[in-house]
Amino acid sequence: MTTAQHRIAQADIPAGSFVMGDRTGDGRAADGERPLHGVSLPAFGIDVHTVTNDDFAVFADATGYRTESEVFGYSAVFHLAFAGDEKDILGRPPQTPWWMGVAGADWRHPGGRHSTLEGLGDHPVVHVSWNDAQAYCAWAGRRLPTEAEWEYASRGGLEGARYPWGDDLMVDGAWNCNIWQGDFPATNTLEDGYLTTAPARHFAPNGYGLYQTVGNVWEWCQDWYDPGYYPVSPETSPTGPVSGQQRVLRGGSFLCHDSYCNRYRNSARSQNTPDSAMSNAGFRTVSLGA
């Protein structure tokens, strides 16, 4: 249910069972998308879209909360979205030089100190860490979805499908998610209309009424990440490993492309440390009664 503090509409996900994992063979073995395994879950309510900039602003303004990017003074920005001064570039990882550590980048300044949220109120909040998402949840009386809940909801009632809408990426010749088109990471042809984030309620929802569970932004889940978890995962309401160093991210983002990252799928898994933030990750929440 929504509250005065948390205003995002809810999708009621029915109790049921599904087969969790990569049925189509698209996943990378190192990510741990297999073996396929049955999971049963009780009914739960989940946000129909990710928490937006407007939603997060209500929380931040009410509490004075400062995200970890604001406290640290920097965050990770995709190079084509950079909006700062040259001196703000703190470095580029040699394995992924399209990412830049940028001083002054945070959720209110997603490209750097010269960017704003003008026109982005209904876009997903980004540059929020897992810890930041937890702080929002505590204020809103919510929690993050477990990895199993997230995948079950993302599938929208379609058993084993690659995407929330089926197995084919295009729908009637059109894009149904916000991912990269063109030559990654240099040229985006913008066939889906967006270089970075799209509005959180854009594109068609899945069978359960959820918007953009794949593409747009990665979504934090509650679980610790372990690529070897699936073989030992319980059948009923799995909650992930009891400990770890990284938290699960699901759904892919506007940067995903077959040439580099094909994780814009229901079963795809990724991870990052709980204090990490970047310009392509956000979150949605579930009700505490779930």
Side-chain angles (χ1 to χ4, degrees):
M1 60 178 292
T2 57
T3 68
Q5 296 185 145
H6 184 76
R7 306 171 298 177
I8 300 174
Q10 300 294 288
D12 294 322
I13 309 301
S17 300
F18 76 110
V19 177
M20 188 171 180
D22 172 29
R23 176 188 63 82
T24 55
D26 296 317
R28 304 178 185 185
D31 289 345
E33 291 184 45
R34 289 186 171 182
L36 297 174
H37 57 290
V39 171
S40 297
L41 295 169
F44 61 96
I46 188 170
D47 297 338
V48 300
H49 60 73
T50 50
V51 173
T52 67
N53 288 310
D54 283 347
D55 297 320
F56 199 80
V58 173
F59 156 64
D61 293 345
T63 63
Y65 182 80
R66 296 182 69 214
T67 61
E68 292 191 304
S69 293
E70 290 171 289
V71 172
F72 298 158
Y74 68 91
S75 191
V77 175
F78 180 63
H79 72 117
L80 295 183
F82 175 62
D85 298 325
E86 193 68 24
K87 63 181 175 60
D88 294 334
I89 301 174
L90 304 179
R92 300 173 184 247
Q95 301 88 350
T96 55
W98 48 88
W99 281 110
M100 304 187 300
V102 175
D106 56 51
W107 75 276
R108 296 185 191 270
H109 309 90
R113 71 177 70 253
H114 298 313
S115 62
T116 71
L117 295 181
E118 183 177 357
L120 302 177
D122 60 350
H123 287 229
V125 64
V126 293
H127 295 293
V128 286
S129 68
W130 185 90
N131 294 326
D132 296 329
Q134 290 291 95
Y136 176 94
C137 286
W139 169 79
R142 310 281 295 177
R143 65 173 174 82
L144 292 175
T146 66
E147 187 175 16
E149 288 170 337
W150 189 97
E151 183 170 325
Y152 182 46
S154 180
R155 291 188 176 280
L158 295 180
E159 186 67 42
R162 179 182 283 115
Y163 307 113
W165 55 86
D167 279 335
D168 296 325
L169 180 58
M170 307 294 283
V171 178
D172 296 328
W175 294 95
N176 200 39
C177 61
N178 177 18
I179 57 176
W180 188 275
Q181 296 93 39
D183 179 20
F184 183 85
T187 305
N188 191 329
T189 58
L190 305 180
E191 293 168 32
D192 61 18
Y194 299 93
L195 174 64
T196 60
T197 58
R201 293 183 72 107
H202 199 56
F203 301 107
N206 72 3
Y208 288 151
L210 274 66
Y211 292 86
Q212 298 196 83
T213 52
V214 301
N216 214 22
V217 295
W218 285 103
E219 300 182 21
W220 289 110
C221 290
Q222 184 68 24
D223 310 34
W224 289 109
Y225 173 77
D226 179 356
Y229 179 67
Y230 280 9
V232 298
S233 173
E235 181 177 348
T236 303
S237 299
T239 56
V242 297
S243 63
Q245 295 182 325
Q246 298 179 312
R247 295 288 185 174
V248 170
L249 287 158
R250 283 300 201 116
S253 79
F254 59 80
L255 293 180
C256 281
H257 186 269
D258 277 343
S259 67
Y260 173 70
C261 169
N262 71 336
R263 294 187 180 96
Y264 47 96
R265 296 172 290 105
N266 289 322
S267 65
R269 312 175 74 200
S270 191
Q271 74 290 325
N272 213 332
T273 57
D275 61 352
S276 293
M278 46 276 186
S279 57
N280 65 336
F283 67 102
R284 73 179 75 210
T285 73
V286 300
S287 57
L288 283 178

